[in-house]
Amino acid sequence: MKIRSIQTKVLVALVFCLVLGVGCVIALMQYFTVENSKGLASEAVAGSRKLFAILETREISKMTAVGDALLVNQQVRDAFAAKDRNRLLQVTAPLYPQLKEEGITNWMFHTPEPDMSVFLRLHNPSKFGDHLNRFMDKEVVRTHSIASGNELAKAGFAIRVLRPVYDAKGKLVGYVEFGEELGQFIHTLKNQTGNDFGLLLNKKYINKQYWADSSAVWNRRDNWNDNPQFVIADKTTADDNIIKFQGDLAAVPDEGKVLETYSDGQSHFIRGIFPIRDASGQAVGAMFVLRDISDVYHTMRKTQEILLVVTVLSLVLGIVLLLALLNRFVFKRLNQIIVAATRLVGGDFETEIKIASEDEVGKLEQLFEQFRHIFIDVMKQMTAMQDK
Amino acid sequence: MSQLYELKLRIEEKIKADGLDATEMKGRIGLKSGRLLAFISATTPDDPEAIVKLTQAAKEVLNLDV
């Protein structure tokens, strides 16, 4: 269909611009929503990772301080130096519930090298004499100074502080170890951030029997067979949906990784992960982060809707204004010239065109008026000639 | 009376019969046919081309079948 009217052509062009403009605004808003979601996700992962590191440092400091305080106690040192397990248990057992209240769930004494076996477990006194052979054990033997970090033992994966104990003469009598289960960290993380967390441990670095023992000690279900690559040490939500990971835990970058943004009905979530390293620096697991961004998402959507309505209204108002201006300054005046020209040909010599301004249409009006006067003269002359 | 003049009279009759604005209608027909109706008189010689154009213009503007 061929459009003849300039007014219609302009209208079509403006409507096209309107549609294009609205389309661009929607695309731009979508882009910003995605980018904002990514930003939120990255911030959630990075923030949780930082908080986790802060908690780790804080708890290591706490356990180091507890160790300092304990080793001032002569009774403890003497009982340990005398290898008197029962006496050591007697003098330390009253302290254990207090430490446990502070989150220190693991407390062990180790014999010195070369044997370095577990001499006493306050959290499981009946079990002793076993060799753990962990990285931290070797490290504390090598340096004879405090070793700390995340390490798996029979009672579970925990952040630990292992330090040498000397008698009054300065002779090494063994080592004392405090530990806090990493699993309980995630509840602190949840309390502080509001996010949900799940702690995954790579099976490659965990002894199946250790895991079974650890589960028995803490009255947990042995979930070894739930996932092929990892075990879930703990999580802050009963919903297993938080743990959806198919990749290689060892490949998770140090700064963490945003896995996905997903929606569940009216709720919107982002899921991320950051690695957990043991004392030797190996990425032995990962922390899942699940952040509910529904509030932010709905606020963003609401803002987008308002922006869209404002944009559409502005564009429509702009189009109406432009058409009104074009109509007033161009189309209406052109139409007046057309009407006047038609009537002039029809014999109406009286319809004058009022020159409204000196713009382009005004020049045409002026030209038409000049032409009209010439035309009237010619008509008069011809009529006179006809009359003769 | 020429055919051209007869055509002019029929156009004027039609305009009158339909109660239309005579000046505007004549103007439109004049512009379409390229001929001023005011100058068509009984003595105006017939011009086949002018008759065709005027007939077409009358049809378009007034829907007048001649």
Side-chain angles (χ1 to χ4, degrees):
Chain A
M1 190 182 71
K2 194 174 178 182
I3 300 169
R4 288 184 179 172
S5 158
I6 292 176
Q7 208 167 359
T8 312
K9 285 176 185 169
V10 170
L11 183 64
V12 169
L14 290 175
V15 169
F16 177 73
C17 288
L18 172 73
V19 171
L20 192 69
V22 171
C24 285
V25 168
I26 290 171
L28 207 59
M29 288 187 309
Q30 190 58 33
Y31 170 77
F32 282 127
T33 302
V34 170
E35 287 303 306
N36 283 340
S37 297
K38 279 184 190 170
L40 277 172
S42 300
E43 182 256 313
V45 173
S48 301
R49 188 174 62 85
K50 277 182 192 165
L51 185 57
F52 182 80
I54 290 168
L55 288 176
E56 266 186 324
T57 309
R58 192 187 73 180
E59 297 311 303
I60 286 172
S61 299
K62 185 173 85 182
M63 288 187 282
T64 305
V66 168
D68 289 342
L70 178 81
L71 295 182
V72 174
N73 187 320
Q74 194 63 43
Q75 284 181 308
V76 173
R77 283 167 59 185
D78 288 348
F80 192 28
K83 304 265 184 282
D84 188 339
R85 186 174 291 110
N86 287 334
R87 189 147 63 91
L88 184 59
L89 182 60
Q90 268 181 352
V91 294
T92 53
L95 299 171
Y96 181 58
Q98 291 172 38
L99 294 187
K100 206 173 170 185
E101 267 182 30
E102 293 301 319
I104 300 174
T105 49
N106 299 352
W107 185 3
M108 286 190 270
F109 288 88
H110 302 270
T111 59
E113 63 271 19
D115 178 54
M116 201 171 178
S117 60
V118 177
F119 181 71
L120 174 65
R121 276 187 177 86
L122 269 297
H123 52 279
N124 193 6
S126 61
K127 195 164 182 118
F128 55 84
D130 50 319
H131 299 87
L132 298 177
N133 290 321
R134 304 164 305 181
F135 173 83
M136 279 177 65
D137 301 333
K138 291 167 191 161
E139 195 63 12
V140 78
V141 165
R142 187 178 67 82
T143 62
H144 278 179
S145 60
I146 293 173
S148 62
N150 301 319
E151 191 81 74
L152 185 77
K154 289 191 176 178
F157 195 69
I159 182 165
R160 301 170 190 278
V161 171
L162 184 58
R163 61 186 300 158
V165 180
Y166 298 96
D167 65 12
K169 292 176 185 168
K171 186 189 166 197
L172 181 73
V173 292
Y175 300 93
V176 64
E177 176 180 337
F178 299 100
E180 288 189 29
E181 279 227 60
L182 276 185
Q184 71 189 23
F185 267 44
I186 67 174
H187 299 285
T188 310
L189 285 169
K190 182 180 169 72
N191 288 340
Q192 300 225 357
T193 63
N195 301 337
D196 273 307
F197 296 90
L199 177 62
L200 312 188
L201 300 176
N202 196 331
K203 281 183 176 177
K204 204 164 82 179
Y205 302 104
I206 305 170
N207 181 294
K208 188 178 178 182
Q209 190 54 49
Y210 273 23
W211 190 253
D213 292 348
S214 152
S215 301
V217 167
W218 302 112
N219 290 321
R220 277 190 315 229
R221 182 179 67 85
D222 184 355
N223 56 2
W224 183 266
N225 295 320
D226 287 0
N227 290 287
Q229 290 185 0
F230 55 82
V231 286
I232 302 168
D234 207 345
K235 59 189 179 187
T236 56
T237 168
D239 184 3
D240 272 349
N241 274 336
I242 189 177
I243 317 296
K244 269 186 185 170
F245 186 67
Q246 302 297 325
D248 180 8
L249 284 180
V252 177
D254 273 346
E255 65 275 14
K257 184 180 172 185
V258 175
L259 296 174
E260 64 171 339
T261 304
Y262 73 98
S263 299
D264 183 9
Q266 286 294 305
S267 300
H268 304 272
F269 301 93
I270 46 184
R271 187 186 283 128
I273 194 168
F274 62 87
I276 301 289
R277 296 188 177 279
D278 71 2
S280 69
Q282 268 184 322
V284 292
M287 186 75 84
F288 257 87
V289 185
L290 182 76
R291 180 165 184 178
D292 186 342
I293 57 162
S294 301
D295 286 347
V296 181
Y297 189 86
H298 290 308
T299 306
M300 279 197 298
R301 278 282 171 217
K302 191 78 188 164
T303 308
Q304 283 177 1
E305 283 167 16
I306 292 169
L307 191 63
L308 187 63
V309 169
V310 169
T311 306
V312 170
L313 284 179
S314 304
L315 286 173
V316 168
L317 199 68
I319 287 172
V320 169
L321 192 66
L322 188 61
L323 283 176
L325 288 173
L326 281 172
N327 194 48
R328 180 175 172 182
F329 294 116
V330 181
F331 302 125
K332 198 174 167 187
R333 289 160 70 191
L334 285 177
N335 203 45
Q336 281 174 347
I337 294 172
I338 291 167
V339 169
T342 306
R343 294 186 72 82
L344 182 65
V345 171
D348 174 6
F349 300 154
E350 304 303 320
T351 306
E352 275 184 49
I353 291 290
K354 191 183 168 189
I355 298 158
S357 69
E358 291 185 359
D359 57 16
E360 291 85 343
V361 181
K363 283 176 188 168
L364 183 63
E365 290 168 339
Q366 201 172 13
L367 188 68
F368 177 78
E369 268 303 295
Q370 290 163 348
F371 165 77
R372 194 175 70 85
H373 287 295
I374 292 169
F375 185 82
I376 292 167
D377 274 353
V378 170
M379 288 293 285
K380 281 178 182 170
Q381 285 173 27
M382 289 190 75
T383 309
M385 282 170 68
Q386 265 193 339
D387 289 347
K388 282 177 188 174
Chain B
M1 192 163 62
S2 69
Q3 275 187 326
L4 209 51
Y5 184 63
E6 199 178 333
L7 191 53
K8 176 193 168 179
L9 292 178
R10 289 192 64 184
I11 287 168
E12 286 175 340
E13 276 170 23
K14 173 75 174 166
I15 291 169
K16 200 174 176 182
D18 290 355
L20 301 168
D21 183 336
T23 313
E24 193 190 335
M25 292 302 123
K26 283 181 185 177
R28 285 172 65 184
I29 291 167
L31 287 169
K32 278 197 183 295
S33 63
R35 190 104 192 185
L36 284 171
L37 291 184
F39 286 150
I40 298 173
S41 64
T43 56
T44 305
D46 278 334
D47 173 359
E49 193 187 342
I51 291 169
V52 170
K53 284 185 176 174
L54 196 57
T55 307
Q56 283 176 345
K59 173 71 180 166
E60 277 182 46
V61 177
L62 301 171
N63 200 25
L64 177 65
D65 288 314
V66 180

